[in-house]
Amino acid sequence: MTWQTVQDIVLERIQNGIWPEGELIPTECDLAAELGCARATVNRAMQALAENGVVERRRKVGTRVATHPRVQLVRTLLRRELEAAGHEYGYKLVSAKETMAPNDVAQAMMLRNSETLLYSRSVYFADGVPYCCEERWTNTFAASGITAKVLEGISACEWLLGNVPLNRASMSVGVATADSEFIAPALNLPQSDPVLHLERLEWLNNMPVSLSRRYFPRDHRFEGQI
């Protein structure tokens, strides 16, 4: 048995409420005996769950299911951002389909074997000019009701805001290059042009819901208040 399989079993028990938030779960030795695997395998699975904020580990205390505040995650919508700056907001869905996720996305969203996600590609506009493009993977089990048809009329971010009480997220910023398949044509950029890459993973308690990757032209500037 692999550590990923152990992770899946533990995650399923947490998400099904067998081990509710705050619950002290069995020790690594007990789980290893129950599942018929090495303790090191269980330890690796628990380490991955702890890194993602699903469980909390404390020496001499044990491992508990993490608790998360029941508050709506604060999100900045592109519509609000553009309209506040005096621009006309636009949105277009390029494509959407249920599919297997790439390995890095599947790992980030802690998918079990054979689980699929709704993969969508879209473009956002400011005064009719491409502002950024987005690819997004959404867990339709956690976000019941979101479909390709729904995304034709509303962005995934806006739909999630109105339908799923997301309460935590992680974000990273980096640099990528415009590929010929999606980013370059979506933003009207030369192929391999550098773009700003914003990745965001959003959760509902201990369940990953949506992972988005937005790409902005290299002259894009982020502004905010602290």
Side-chain angles (χ1 to χ4, degrees):
M1 179 177 291
T2 66
W3 70 265
Q4 291 95 335
T5 302
V6 174
Q7 174 184 268
D8 290 347
I9 293 171
V10 173
L11 192 61
E12 183 175 11
R13 292 180 183 181
I14 292 172
Q15 294 176 349
N16 289 342
I18 296 174
W19 295 332
E21 292 189 7
E23 177 90 356
L24 189 65
I25 67 177
T27 66
E28 292 179 1
C29 290
D30 289 343
L31 280 175
E34 176 192 347
L35 301 177
C37 63
R39 178 181 175 181
T41 303
V42 176
N43 179 271
R44 177 66 183 86
M46 289 302 179
Q47 179 182 343
L49 290 167
E51 290 172 353
N52 282 291
V54 176
V55 300
E56 298 173 343
R57 310 175 77 188
R58 294 186 180 180
R59 288 176 58 87
K60 299 182 180 180
V61 174
T63 301
R64 292 185 183 275
V65 180
T67 58
H68 301 286
R70 296 297 188 269
V71 296
Q72 175 73 333
L73 179 66
V74 176
R75 283 171 286 173
T76 301
L77 297 179
L78 281 179
R79 178 192 296 274
R80 296 174 184 168
E81 176 184 321
L82 293 173
E83 290 179 348
H87 299 294
E88 180 182 356
Y89 166 86
Y91 161 79
K92 177 184 178 182
L93 177 68
V94 176
S95 63
K97 63 179 180 179
E98 285 278 345
T99 187
M100 300 289 290
N103 289 337
D104 59 334
V105 174
Q107 183 175 347
M109 296 194 67
M110 311 182 80
L111 295 185
R112 302 176 184 88
N113 292 334
S114 77
E115 282 188 316
T116 61
L117 299 173
L118 177 61
Y119 173 57
S120 59
R121 288 176 168 177
S122 55
V123 184
Y124 296 87
F125 301 87
D127 301 326
V129 177
Y131 181 75
C132 75
C133 62
E134 174 188 272
E135 54 180 350
R136 181 184 291 264
W137 293 264
T138 304
N139 182 339
T140 54
F141 174 78
S144 178
I146 191 170
T147 64
K149 185 67 176 177
V150 166
L151 296 181
E152 291 178 4
I154 187 173
S155 71
C157 185
E158 290 190 339
W159 188 93
L160 289 168
L161 179 63
N163 293 275
V164 182
L166 302 172
N167 57 357
R168 67 186 181 103
S170 59
M171 186 172 68
S172 63
V173 179
V175 177
T177 54
D179 61 27
S180 59
E181 181 182 358
F182 174 53
I183 302 174
L187 298 179
N188 293 331
L189 296 176
Q191 184 179 345
S192 299
D193 213 43
V195 291
L196 188 64
H197 171 209
L198 177 65
E199 179 172 299
R200 184 179 178 100
L201 176 60
E202 297 180 324
W203 297 67
L204 172 58
N205 303 328
N206 289 307
M207 183 178 293
V209 175
S210 188
L211 186 150
S212 63
R213 290 173 178 167
R214 286 180 177 172
Y215 305 95
F216 298 81
R218 58 180 171 180
D219 59 352
H220 182 79
R221 177 188 175 117
F222 279 109
E223 294 184 2
Q225 296 182 353
I226 299 177

